[in-house]
Amino acid sequence: MTKKWVPHAGKLTLLAACAMLAACGGGGEGANAGGRQQFITFKYPGGGELEQVKTLSATTTSGLAVSFKSSTPDFCTVSGDQLTLVKAGECRVIASQAGGKTDDGVQWAAADDADQLFTVLKHPQMPTVPLAVMVRASSANVELSATTSAGIAATYTSTTPTVCTVSGKTLTASGAGLCMLAVTAPANDHYAALEGGVAAIAVGPIPPMVVQRQNKTQTIALAAVDASGSALTYSSTAPAVCSVSGTSLQLTADGLCTLSMSGANGASETLTVNVGPRFFASGFNATTSRTAELGGIDSNGGFPDASWCGAVTPSYCNLSVTPFSATFSFDIKPSNNPNWKGDFGWSYYTFEIGAPMKQNGSTFEALPFDVKTEESLFVTLNMNQTLFDGKGGVFVRVKTNHLLKKSDGSDCYVTVSTHVLPTSAAPAGYVLPFKDFAVTDKCESADLPQTEGWMFDWGVSAESKAAALKEIRTYGIRALQFAPNGLNTTRPTPNADGSVPTDPKDAAYTLSTGITVFGPITVQ
C-alpha cells in the first residue's frame, strides 16, 4: 500500500490506496464514513440599513434543508430564514447542514459551514426644506425646519447669496432663481451624518407649475404679502390634492392643485400646481433635437414667392433646441425674393413635438401614449413679441394615432385642436382640458365633424368637442403641434438700436413668426 496527499475542499486529506473498495468505506460514499459529501451554496444577502428584514437563501448539493444562525447577534439576528439588521456594524451569518438521509435512501455527511459577512448601514438623513418659496414683495422670510428627516439638528448655509441667504434657521429669499443650501447634521446610533447635503429651493412669484411628490407630502412656502405690502390669503379649491395652512401649501396627492389667492387690497388670482403628472416630454436634447423621451421635433414653414425652409442659406427656418425648450422661428425677408408681390394669401407653419419613442440601433419606434383617464394637457409656451402684437393666439393641436387614407391615397392622422390666447409674449403655463378640444382635421372621414379655425372665435359645437375627446381617449397622442393663427406679415422686427425698418426692400426688414415650447409637457 502507498500513501499520497490529495487536495479536497481546501484541505489536504491523507488517503490510503486500498486493494479492495470495501476496505475504504465502500459504495462510493467518499472518504467520510458518515455519508456522501455535500456542499452549501449560500446566496449573498447584500448589505442593508438598520431595521431591514431580509430573506436568506442557501441550497445544498444533497437537496437537504439549510439552517441559519448569526455569529454577531449584537448587529443582526436570525429566525428561520429571516435576517433582521439591528445595529450598524458587521453582520456574519452562518449556513449549516447537519447531514441526513434523502428520500432516495442516500446518507449524506454534515456539510462544511458557509458564511456571509457584510456591513449593516445606518439610515441616511435628508434635509427637510420646502420645494419652493413664492415671493411677491422684494423679499420673503421662511423659517426652515430645525431638524433633518431624522429629527437631528440641521445647519444651513446658502451657496447662492444673490437668490437667498440664511441666518440660523431663517431663510430670506430675495431674487428669482434656484436657492441652493448646504445642509449638515451629525450622526447618532441610527442615522449617518449628513455631510455635503444639498437642498435646492425654487424661488419665484408663482409656485412651480409641475411637482413630483416622490410618494410623500411636499411643501411650498407661499408669499405672505404682495409687492404693495398687502397681506395675501389662500384657500385650496382641490382639497383632495392640496391643502393650505396659513402660507404653507401641502401637496398631499397627485392631481391638479388649484389655489385661490386673495389680497387685502381686493386683488385675486388663481394659482395651479400639477402634482405627479405623466410626462409627454420632461425636457429636450440639444444634441439630437429630440425630447428627453426621444420624441421627434419637426418644423417647416413657407409661403409662395417669398420664403420657405431651405430656400436660402442661412435658412428662413430656424429650429433651436436647448435642454429646457424648443423654438421654431420662421423669418420672411422680402428683399431676398425679387418675385414676391406682397401676397400672403397662402402660407404654412408646422412645429411638431412627437410622443415618446424607444431607440433600436439607429431607428426609433413609437411608443403608445394613451390618454384614457387624464383630463388635461399642461404646456408652457411663448411667442416672439411682433407675433404677439398681432393678438392672434396659438393653436395647440393633438395629432392622434387614428390613421386614415384620403381620397388621393395619402396618409392622414385625425387631429384635434384648442385655441390659446396669451396675455403677453412672455412664457406662461397653460392647463388645457381635453374636453375643450375640437376636431380640426377629420381626414375626409364622413363619421366625424370638423371645426375650422375661425369657428373658435364664435364657439365650437358640443358635437365636435365630444368627437375630439373620443378620438383622444381611443387613439392617444401621436404628436403635439403648435401654430399661430397666421404668420406675422406686417410687423417687422426692430433693429438692435430700437428703430424699426419700414421698407420691405431693406435687408434688415424681417417678419418673424416664432413659438417656444418649454419642458416639461405633461398630462394629468
Side-chain angles (χ1 to χ4, degrees), residues 172-316:
T172 300
S174 55
L178 202 59
C179 169
M180 302 297 293
L181 300 180
V183 189
T184 60
N188 66 12
D189 289 342
H190 296 280
Y191 289 87
L194 178 59
E195 298 173 344
V198 176
I201 304 173
V203 178
I206 61 174
M209 293 181 179
V210 177
V211 168
Q212 295 293 342
R213 276 196 320 114
Q214 300 175 327
N215 296 317
K216 62 182 180 182
T217 297
Q218 299 283 8
T219 301
I220 294 174
L222 301 171
V225 296
D226 63 15
S228 66
S230 296
L232 297 171
T233 58
Y234 303 85
S235 62
S236 169
T237 54
V241 178
C242 57
S243 61
V244 177
S245 176
T247 56
S248 178
L249 171 64
Q250 290 86 40
L251 307 175
T252 56
D254 291 347
L256 185 63
C257 169
T258 53
L259 298 176
S260 176
M261 182 181 75
S262 301
N265 58 4
S268 64
E269 191 174 333
T270 298
L271 305 173
T272 60
V273 181
N274 287 308
V275 186
R278 186 157 62 99
F279 288 108
F280 182 87
S282 59
F284 302 91
N285 187 317
T287 302
T288 62
S289 291
R290 288 181 171 273
T291 69
E293 288 71 26
L294 302 180
I297 303 175
D298 297 317
S299 59
N300 207 345
F303 62 89
D305 294 331
S307 306
W308 62 93
C309 293
V312 296
T313 302
S315 176
Y316 292 114

